[in-house]
Amino acid sequence: EPEVTQTPSHQVTQMGQEVILRCVPISNHLYFYWYRQILGQKVEFLVSFYNNEISEKSEIFDDQFSVERPDGSNFTLKIRSTKLEDSAMYFCASSSLDGAVAEAFFGQGTRLTVV
Amino acid sequence: AQRVTQPEKLLSVFKGAPVELKCNYSYSGSPELFWYVQYSRQRLQLLLRHISRESIKGFTADLNKGETSFHLKKPFAQEEDSAMYYCAPWADTGRRALTFGSGTRLQVQP
């Protein structure tokens, strides 16, 4: 069964460094998402991506964040100049259609620890 | 403001007992409603959606527009149901993405 794959599973980085979280969505999916979950808190929407551009982003997704689909298979989340409060679990998701119609499939998450 | 509320952080029941995980929403328009589940060390996965009216793993959820609720129910809990459960509306206005509730941890004791 196809799965959304995220790498790495755990990333430790120093405050102020840039990190890139990688996701390989399911191959025929068209809609891509990033969510994050700070320890003990709810899963929060960051950004949605369709047709090679951001379709929507939350207030969390400020200039520190960017997303890219560089090669038609990977979907990346870049966090510039990481802060301690960026420590969280980051989930990638994809769906074949608008998620109101089709199920969103989630990756297993990348745990980002900023020290 | 659009909001989804899961009032219980933890629900602990014994095996065989009925389960009801509460979800209330405050959304304009007519949201699609979903329940997602996350078993220990596994990824978030769709459990059910109100539009399909299916029963998955014995769980059902009825949309009550009057009470703006979408509670998840199961008549007889099993130990393997222990997991985090997230109610997630998808609104047809505003943000077109899942918005998750804070989640309820269901603990089914033997």
Side-chain angles (χ1 to χ4, degrees):
Chain A
E1 189 174 323
E3 287 183 337
V4 174
T5 306
Q6 289 184 243
T7 53
S9 55
H10 191 189
Q11 170 109 35
V12 182
T13 190
Q14 290 214 325
M15 193 167 56
Q17 296 296 304
E18 174 183 287
V19 293
I20 297 176
L21 309 183
R22 300 181 194 280
C23 170
V24 179
I26 294 172
S27 62
N28 63 343
H29 283 189
L30 301 174
Y31 293 80
F32 313 111
Y33 310 89
W34 282 101
Y35 290 81
R36 79 170 184 192
Q37 185 176 30
I38 295 170
L39 187 64
Q41 298 186 27
K42 62 169 70 177
V43 178
E44 301 172 290
F45 169 76
L46 291 178
V47 66
S48 58
F49 192 87
Y50 169 69
N51 202 24
N52 281 322
E53 60 183 24
I54 290 174
S55 51
E56 194 160 6
K57 58 185 181 179
S58 73
E59 54 279 359
I60 302 168
F61 194 90
D62 59 21
D63 292 343
Q64 185 194 7
F65 294 89
S66 61
V67 289
E68 204 177 31
R69 191 157 157 77
D71 56 14
S73 62
N74 289 284
F75 178 51
T76 61
L77 174 69
K78 183 189 288 186
I79 310 174
R80 286 180 281 274
S81 190
T82 49
K83 306 189 283 274
L84 294 176
E85 53 266 36
D86 294 327
S87 296
M89 195 76 161
Y90 288 81
F91 295 104
C92 173
S94 70
S95 65
S96 57
L97 296 170
D98 185 318
V101 181
E103 177 181 350
F105 290 82
F106 283 79
Q108 76 280 23
T110 293
R111 180 169 298 286
L112 176 65
T113 303
V114 183
V115 297
Chain B
Q2 298 179 334
R3 196 167 56 221
V4 55
T5 304
Q6 292 182 250
E8 302 135 332
K9 281 196 167 180
L10 172 66
L11 183 64
S12 185
V13 301
F14 287 102
K15 178 182 168 182
V19 167
E20 183 178 68
L21 298 164
K22 293 185 166 48
C23 171
N24 289 92
Y25 64 92
S26 169
Y27 266 73
S28 57
S30 301
E32 277 254 3
L33 286 140
F34 302 79
W35 277 97
Y36 274 76
V37 60
Q38 188 173 29
Y39 300 102
S40 180
R41 302 184 190 283
Q42 294 188 29
R43 62 192 68 204
L44 274 163
Q45 55 188 282
L46 178 66
L47 180 63
L48 57 79
R49 56 194 300 175
H50 90 269
I51 198 168
S52 61
R53 299 185 179 279
E54 290 177 305
S55 171
I56 308 291
K57 300 186 180 184
F59 285 96
T60 58
D62 289 322
L63 176 61
N64 185 322
K65 290 188 178 179
E67 295 180 0
T68 59
S69 68
F70 188 53
H71 302 329
L72 184 68
K73 300 178 185 179
K74 184 168 182 176
F76 307 104
Q78 303 298 314
E79 287 180 71
E80 55 267 27
D81 296 328
S82 295
M84 278 294 291
Y85 290 81
Y86 295 95
C87 181
W90 183 296
D92 61 3
T93 58
R95 171 165 300 153
R96 293 195 62 73
L98 290 167
T99 302
F100 289 89
S102 51
T104 297
R105 178 169 298 283
L106 175 64
Q107 204 170 65
V108 182
Q109 300 181 55

